[in-house]
Amino acid sequence: MSEMRLYRLLLLTLPGLAVGFVAGVFAGGLAAFVGQPTGWALVSAISLGVPLALAGGGYTLLLINERVRLGGFAPAALYWLVAFPLCRLLHEVLTKLLITGEVGVPPDLLGFLAYQGIVSAGFAIGFLWLHERLAPRWWQRLAQRDEVAERVYLRYAEHARAVFEAKERRKAVADRYRATRKATHTR
């Protein structure tokens, strides 16, 4: 892959990369907040931030290539059901390796992965919420010079229009219903 293609891919997937990395850095900040040594918190931030960033970029790549639908929680939840436990496992292994110099996995690996799978739903909600707020704005900026960003941004704009119109239709139906009930009760 040429440097230019790699740079373009980096730009297109930046929203997912950023959201994933920030989540990992936030975990490192929480480690520092609860009193872990600064080095431990830094290792935690990097060893979770990098895998989450790569997984976030992967999700964005799937979205760009129309493998997952816009704004859909189910595809994001399924993606993170696999990706989040793997990122957390990598985080555990790397943290232990960097802090103690020993390679090891959590004692109850299946229990650990199952718990991370449960937690992944909450992560998917947060990731999707933040990604849906950052990505369209980013792709709008890129759309002037990148046809893929323009295509994805236009898909988001069309999706937003459809969601808005559906909301307005529901509101109109509810208003008619309230008006009918009010007219019936005043007779």
Side-chain angles (χ1 to χ4, degrees), residues 18-68:
V19 172
F21 188 72
V22 166
V25 169
F26 185 71
L30 287 176
F33 180 74
V34 299
Q36 295 296 330
T38 305
W40 185 300
L42 185 59
V43 165
S44 187
I46 299 300
S47 66
L48 184 57
V50 171
L52 285 176
L54 293 173
Y59 176 83
T60 305
L61 199 55
L62 290 174
L63 188 69
I64 288 169
N65 290 310
E66 299 183 33
R67 300 293 188 248
V68 295

Short mmCIF file of all heavy atoms in Angstrom, two decimals, residues 18-68:
data_model
loop_
_atom_site.label_atom_id
_atom_site.label_comp_id
_atom_site.label_asym_id
_atom_site.label_seq_id
_atom_site.Cartn_x
_atom_site.Cartn_y
_atom_site.Cartn_z
N ALA A 18 -9.89 7.94 16.61
CA ALA A 18 -9.87 8.92 17.70
C ALA A 18 -10.78 8.51 18.86
O ALA A 18 -10.38 8.57 20.03
CB ALA A 18 -10.28 10.30 17.17
N VAL A 19 -11.98 8.08 18.55
CA VAL A 19 -12.92 7.69 19.61
C VAL A 19 -12.36 6.50 20.39
O VAL A 19 -12.40 6.49 21.62
CB VAL A 19 -14.32 7.37 19.04
CG1 VAL A 19 -15.23 6.78 20.10
CG2 VAL A 19 -14.95 8.63 18.44
N GLY A 20 -11.82 5.52 19.70
CA GLY A 20 -11.24 4.36 20.37
C GLY A 20 -10.05 4.74 21.24
O GLY A 20 -9.94 4.32 22.39
N PHE A 21 -9.17 5.57 20.70
CA PHE A 21 -7.98 5.97 21.46
C PHE A 21 -8.36 6.78 22.69
O PHE A 21 -7.81 6.57 23.77
CB PHE A 21 -7.00 6.75 20.57
CG PHE A 21 -5.70 7.01 21.25
CD1 PHE A 21 -4.80 5.97 21.44
CD2 PHE A 21 -5.37 8.27 21.71
CE1 PHE A 21 -3.59 6.18 22.09
CE2 PHE A 21 -4.16 8.49 22.36
CZ PHE A 21 -3.26 7.45 22.55
N VAL A 22 -9.29 7.70 22.54
CA VAL A 22 -9.73 8.52 23.68
C VAL A 22 -10.33 7.65 24.77
O VAL A 22 -10.10 7.87 25.95
CB VAL A 22 -10.71 9.62 23.22
CG1 VAL A 22 -11.43 10.26 24.39
CG2 VAL A 22 -9.97 10.68 22.41
N ALA A 23 -11.08 6.62 24.38
CA ALA A 23 -11.65 5.70 25.38
C ALA A 23 -10.54 5.01 26.17
O ALA A 23 -10.63 4.87 27.39
CB ALA A 23 -12.55 4.67 24.69
N GLY A 24 -9.50 4.57 25.49
CA GLY A 24 -8.38 3.93 26.17
C GLY A 24 -7.63 4.88 27.07
O GLY A 24 -7.26 4.53 28.19
N VAL A 25 -7.42 6.10 26.60
CA VAL A 25 -6.72 7.10 27.40
C VAL A 25 -7.57 7.45 28.63
O VAL A 25 -7.04 7.65 29.73
CB VAL A 25 -6.40 8.35 26.56
CG1 VAL A 25 -5.93 9.50 27.41
CG2 VAL A 25 -5.35 7.99 25.51
N PHE A 26 -8.88 7.48 28.45
CA PHE A 26 -9.78 7.73 29.57
C PHE A 26 -9.61 6.64 30.63
O PHE A 26 -9.59 6.93 31.83
CB PHE A 26 -11.22 7.79 29.07
CG PHE A 26 -12.22 8.15 30.12
CD1 PHE A 26 -12.28 9.43 30.64
CD2 PHE A 26 -13.09 7.19 30.61
CE1 PHE A 26 -13.20 9.77 31.62
CE2 PHE A 26 -14.01 7.51 31.59
CZ PHE A 26 -14.07 8.80 32.10
N ALA A 27 -9.47 5.40 30.21
CA ALA A 27 -9.25 4.30 31.16
C ALA A 27 -7.94 4.51 31.91
O ALA A 27 -7.87 4.25 33.13
CB ALA A 27 -9.24 2.96 30.42
N GLY A 28 -6.92 4.96 31.23
CA GLY A 28 -5.65 5.27 31.90
C GLY A 28 -5.81 6.40 32.89
O GLY A 28 -5.24 6.36 33.99
N GLY A 29 -6.60 7.39 32.53
CA GLY A 29 -6.89 8.49 33.45
C GLY A 29 -7.62 8.01 34.70
O GLY A 29 -7.35 8.47 35.81
N LEU A 30 -8.55 7.09 34.49
CA LEU A 30 -9.26 6.51 35.65
C LEU A 30 -8.30 5.74 36.54
O LEU A 30 -8.43 5.77 37.77
CB LEU A 30 -10.39 5.60 35.18
CG LEU A 30 -11.61 6.30 34.60
CD1 LEU A 30 -12.61 5.27 34.09
CD2 LEU A 30 -12.28 7.20 35.63
N ALA A 31 -7.35 5.03 35.94
CA ALA A 31 -6.35 4.30 36.73
C ALA A 31 -5.55 5.27 37.59
O ALA A 31 -5.29 5.01 38.77
CB ALA A 31 -5.43 3.48 35.82
N ALA A 32 -5.16 6.40 37.02
CA ALA A 32 -4.42 7.40 37.78
C ALA A 32 -5.31 8.01 38.87
O ALA A 32 -4.86 8.25 40.00
CB ALA A 32 -3.90 8.49 36.85
N PHE A 33 -6.56 8.23 38.53
CA PHE A 33 -7.51 8.84 39.48
C PHE A 33 -7.70 7.97 40.72
O PHE A 33 -7.84 8.48 41.83
CB PHE A 33 -8.85 9.08 38.78
CG PHE A 33 -9.90 9.69 39.66
CD1 PHE A 33 -9.82 11.03 40.02
CD2 PHE A 33 -10.94 8.93 40.14
CE1 PHE A 33 -10.78 11.60 40.84
CE2 PHE A 33 -11.92 9.48 40.95
CZ PHE A 33 -11.84 10.83 41.31
N VAL A 34 -7.73 6.65 40.54
CA VAL A 34 -7.94 5.76 41.69
C VAL A 34 -6.65 5.46 42.43
O VAL A 34 -6.65 4.65 43.37
CB VAL A 34 -8.66 4.44 41.30
CG1 VAL A 34 -10.03 4.71 40.74
CG2 VAL A 34 -7.81 3.61 40.35
N GLY A 35 -5.56 6.09 42.03
CA GLY A 35 -4.33 5.99 42.82
C GLY A 35 -3.25 5.09 42.28
O GLY A 35 -2.25 4.85 42.96
N GLN A 36 -3.41 4.58 41.05
CA GLN A 36 -2.36 3.77 40.47
C GLN A 36 -1.17 4.67 40.14
O GLN A 36 -1.33 5.85 39.84
CB GLN A 36 -2.84 3.08 39.20
CG GLN A 36 -3.94 2.07 39.42
CD GLN A 36 -3.47 0.90 40.28
OE1 GLN A 36 -2.31 0.52 40.26
NE2 GLN A 36 -4.40 0.33 41.04
N PRO A 37 0.04 4.13 40.17
CA PRO A 37 1.22 4.94 39.82
C PRO A 37 1.10 5.50 38.39
O PRO A 37 0.46 4.89 37.53
CB PRO A 37 2.38 3.95 39.92
CG PRO A 37 1.88 2.83 40.77
CD PRO A 37 0.39 2.77 40.57
N THR A 38 1.73 6.61 38.15
CA THR A 38 1.66 7.28 36.85
C THR A 38 2.10 6.36 35.72
O THR A 38 1.46 6.32 34.66
CB THR A 38 2.53 8.56 36.86
OG1 THR A 38 2.12 9.37 37.95
CG2 THR A 38 2.38 9.33 35.57
N GLY A 39 3.17 5.62 35.91
CA GLY A 39 3.65 4.71 34.87
C GLY A 39 2.62 3.64 34.55
O GLY A 39 2.40 3.31 33.38
N TRP A 40 1.99 3.11 35.57
CA TRP A 40 0.96 2.09 35.39
C TRP A 40 -0.21 2.68 34.59
O TRP A 40 -0.73 2.06 33.67
CB TRP A 40 0.49 1.59 36.74
CG TRP A 40 -0.47 0.45 36.69
CD1 TRP A 40 -1.70 0.45 36.09
CD2 TRP A 40 -0.31 -0.83 37.24
NE1 TRP A 40 -2.32 -0.76 36.25
CE2 TRP A 40 -1.47 -1.57 36.97
CE3 TRP A 40 0.70 -1.44 37.97
CZ2 TRP A 40 -1.64 -2.88 37.39
CZ3 TRP A 40 0.52 -2.74 38.39
CH2 TRP A 40 -0.64 -3.44 38.09
N ALA A 41 -0.63 3.89 34.97
CA ALA A 41 -1.74 4.55 34.28
C ALA A 41 -1.39 4.82 32.82
O ALA A 41 -2.23 4.64 31.93
CB ALA A 41 -2.11 5.84 34.99
N LEU A 42 -0.16 5.22 32.57
CA LEU A 42 0.28 5.48 31.20
C LEU A 42 0.29 4.18 30.38
O LEU A 42 -0.18 4.15 29.23
CB LEU A 42 1.66 6.12 31.19
CG LEU A 42 2.21 6.56 29.84
CD1 LEU A 42 1.28 7.58 29.19
CD2 LEU A 42 3.60 7.13 30.00
N VAL A 43 0.81 3.12 30.96
CA VAL A 43 0.81 1.81 30.28
C VAL A 43 -0.62 1.38 30.00
O VAL A 43 -0.94 0.89 28.91
CB VAL A 43 1.56 0.75 31.13
CG1 VAL A 43 1.26 -0.66 30.64
CG2 VAL A 43 3.05 1.02 31.10
N SER A 44 -1.50 1.57 30.97
CA SER A 44 -2.90 1.20 30.79
C SER A 44 -3.54 2.00 29.66
O SER A 44 -4.27 1.45 28.83
CB SER A 44 -3.67 1.42 32.10
OG SER A 44 -4.96 0.91 32.00
N ALA A 45 -3.26 3.30 29.63
CA ALA A 45 -3.84 4.16 28.58
C ALA A 45 -3.38 3.72 27.19
O ALA A 45 -4.19 3.61 26.27
CB ALA A 45 -3.45 5.61 28.83
N ILE A 46 -2.10 3.45 27.05
CA ILE A 46 -1.56 3.08 25.74
C ILE A 46 -1.98 1.66 25.35
O ILE A 46 -2.40 1.41 24.22
CB ILE A 46 -0.02 3.20 25.72
CG1 ILE A 46 0.40 4.65 26.01
CG2 ILE A 46 0.56 2.72 24.39
CD1 ILE A 46 -0.12 5.67 25.04
N SER A 47 -1.88 0.71 26.31
CA SER A 47 -2.16 -0.69 25.97
C SER A 47 -3.64 -0.95 25.72
O SER A 47 -3.99 -1.97 25.14
CB SER A 47 -1.62 -1.62 27.05
OG SER A 47 -2.31 -1.44 28.27
N LEU A 48 -4.51 -0.05 26.16
CA LEU A 48 -5.92 -0.17 25.81
C LEU A 48 -6.28 0.80 24.68
O LEU A 48 -7.08 0.47 23.80
CB LEU A 48 -6.82 0.09 27.02
CG LEU A 48 -8.32 -0.12 26.80
CD1 LEU A 48 -8.62 -1.53 26.30
CD2 LEU A 48 -9.09 0.17 28.08
N GLY A 49 -5.67 1.98 24.69
CA GLY A 49 -5.99 2.99 23.68
C GLY A 49 -5.64 2.57 22.27
O GLY A 49 -6.43 2.78 21.34
N VAL A 50 -4.50 1.95 22.08
CA VAL A 50 -4.08 1.56 20.73
C VAL A 50 -4.99 0.45 20.17
O VAL A 50 -5.49 0.58 19.05
CB VAL A 50 -2.59 1.18 20.69
CG1 VAL A 50 -2.21 0.56 19.36
CG2 VAL A 50 -1.73 2.42 20.97
N PRO A 51 -5.25 -0.64 20.91
CA PRO A 51 -6.17 -1.65 20.36
C PRO A 51 -7.58 -1.10 20.10
O PRO A 51 -8.20 -1.42 19.08
CB PRO A 51 -6.20 -2.75 21.43
CG PRO A 51 -4.92 -2.60 22.17
CD PRO A 51 -4.63 -1.12 22.16
N LEU A 52 -8.09 -0.27 21.03
CA LEU A 52 -9.42 0.30 20.80
C LEU A 52 -9.42 1.25 19.61
O LEU A 52 -10.41 1.32 18.87
CB LEU A 52 -9.92 1.03 22.06
CG LEU A 52 -10.39 0.15 23.21
CD1 LEU A 52 -10.78 1.00 24.42
CD2 LEU A 52 -11.55 -0.73 22.80
N ALA A 53 -8.33 1.98 19.42
CA ALA A 53 -8.23 2.87 18.25
C ALA A 53 -8.25 2.05 16.96
O ALA A 53 -8.97 2.39 16.01
CB ALA A 53 -6.95 3.71 18.33
N LEU A 54 -7.48 0.98 16.92
CA LEU A 54 -7.46 0.14 15.72
C LEU A 54 -8.82 -0.50 15.46
O LEU A 54 -9.28 -0.55 14.32
CB LEU A 54 -6.37 -0.93 15.84
CG LEU A 54 -4.93 -0.39 15.85
CD1 LEU A 54 -3.94 -1.51 16.13
CD2 LEU A 54 -4.60 0.33 14.55
N ALA A 55 -9.47 -0.97 16.53
CA ALA A 55 -10.82 -1.54 16.37
C ALA A 55 -11.82 -0.47 15.95
O ALA A 55 -12.69 -0.71 15.11
CB ALA A 55 -11.26 -2.21 17.67
N GLY A 56 -11.70 0.73 16.50
CA GLY A 56 -12.58 1.83 16.11
C GLY A 56 -12.38 2.20 14.65
O GLY A 56 -13.34 2.46 13.91
N GLY A 57 -11.13 2.21 14.22
CA GLY A 57 -10.84 2.45 12.81
C GLY A 57 -11.42 1.35 11.93
O GLY A 57 -11.92 1.61 10.84
N GLY A 58 -11.38 0.12 12.42
CA GLY A 58 -11.97 -1.00 11.68
C GLY A 58 -13.48 -0.84 11.52
O GLY A 58 -14.03 -1.10 10.45
N TYR A 59 -14.14 -0.40 12.59
CA TYR A 59 -15.58 -0.16 12.51
C TYR A 59 -15.88 0.93 11.47
O TYR A 59 -16.78 0.80 10.65
CB TYR A 59 -16.15 0.24 13.87
CG TYR A 59 -17.61 0.57 13.80
CD1 TYR A 59 -18.57 -0.44 13.85
CD2 TYR A 59 -18.05 1.89 13.65
CE1 TYR A 59 -19.92 -0.14 13.75
CE2 TYR A 59 -19.39 2.18 13.55
CZ TYR A 59 -20.32 1.16 13.61
OH TYR A 59 -21.66 1.45 13.49
N THR A 60 -15.09 2.00 11.52
CA THR A 60 -15.28 3.09 10.57
C THR A 60 -15.06 2.62 9.14
O THR A 60 -15.79 3.01 8.23
CB THR A 60 -14.34 4.27 10.90
OG1 THR A 60 -14.56 4.65 12.26
CG2 THR A 60 -14.59 5.46 10.00
N LEU A 61 -14.08 1.76 8.95
CA LEU A 61 -13.82 1.20 7.63
C LEU A 61 -15.01 0.39 7.13
O LEU A 61 -15.40 0.49 5.96
CB LEU A 61 -12.56 0.34 7.68
CG LEU A 61 -11.86 0.04 6.38
CD1 LEU A 61 -11.52 1.30 5.62
CD2 LEU A 61 -10.59 -0.75 6.67
N LEU A 62 -15.60 -0.41 8.02
CA LEU A 62 -16.81 -1.16 7.65
C LEU A 62 -17.95 -0.21 7.28
O LEU A 62 -18.69 -0.46 6.33
CB LEU A 62 -17.24 -2.07 8.81
CG LEU A 62 -16.33 -3.25 9.11
CD1 LEU A 62 -16.80 -3.96 10.37
CD2 LEU A 62 -16.29 -4.21 7.94
N LEU A 63 -18.07 0.87 8.01
CA LEU A 63 -19.12 1.85 7.74
C LEU A 63 -18.89 2.53 6.39
O LEU A 63 -19.82 2.66 5.59
CB LEU A 63 -19.14 2.90 8.86
CG LEU A 63 -20.27 3.89 8.84
CD1 LEU A 63 -21.58 3.19 9.17
CD2 LEU A 63 -20.01 4.98 9.87
N ILE A 64 -17.67 2.91 6.13
CA ILE A 64 -17.33 3.56 4.86
C ILE A 64 -17.63 2.63 3.68
O ILE A 64 -18.14 3.07 2.66
CB ILE A 64 -15.84 3.98 4.85
CG1 ILE A 64 -15.62 5.16 5.79
CG2 ILE A 64 -15.37 4.31 3.45
CD1 ILE A 64 -14.16 5.46 6.04
N ASN A 65 -17.34 1.35 3.84
CA ASN A 65 -17.54 0.37 2.78
C ASN A 65 -18.94 -0.23 2.78
O ASN A 65 -19.17 -1.26 2.13
CB ASN A 65 -16.48 -0.72 2.86
CG ASN A 65 -15.12 -0.20 2.49
OD1 ASN A 65 -14.96 0.45 1.46
ND2 ASN A 65 -14.14 -0.42 3.33
N GLU A 66 -19.84 0.38 3.52
CA GLU A 66 -21.26 0.00 3.59
C GLU A 66 -21.46 -1.45 4.05
O GLU A 66 -22.36 -2.14 3.59
CB GLU A 66 -21.94 0.26 2.25
CG GLU A 66 -21.90 1.71 1.84
CD GLU A 66 -22.64 2.00 0.56
OE1 GLU A 66 -23.66 1.33 0.27
OE2 GLU A 66 -22.20 2.91 -0.17
N ARG A 67 -20.63 -1.90 4.97
CA ARG A 67 -20.79 -3.24 5.56
C ARG A 67 -21.65 -3.19 6.82
O ARG A 67 -22.13 -4.22 7.27
CB ARG A 67 -19.43 -3.85 5.90
CG ARG A 67 -18.51 -4.02 4.71
CD ARG A 67 -19.07 -5.07 3.74
NE ARG A 67 -18.12 -5.35 2.70
CZ ARG A 67 -18.29 -5.04 1.43
NH1 ARG A 67 -19.36 -4.42 1.04
NH2 ARG A 67 -17.39 -5.36 0.54
N VAL A 68 -21.77 -2.00 7.42
CA VAL A 68 -22.69 -1.78 8.53
C VAL A 68 -23.53 -0.56 8.19
O VAL A 68 -23.08 0.33 7.46
CB VAL A 68 -21.97 -1.57 9.89
CG1 VAL A 68 -21.22 -2.80 10.32
CG2 VAL A 68 -21.04 -0.38 9.86
#
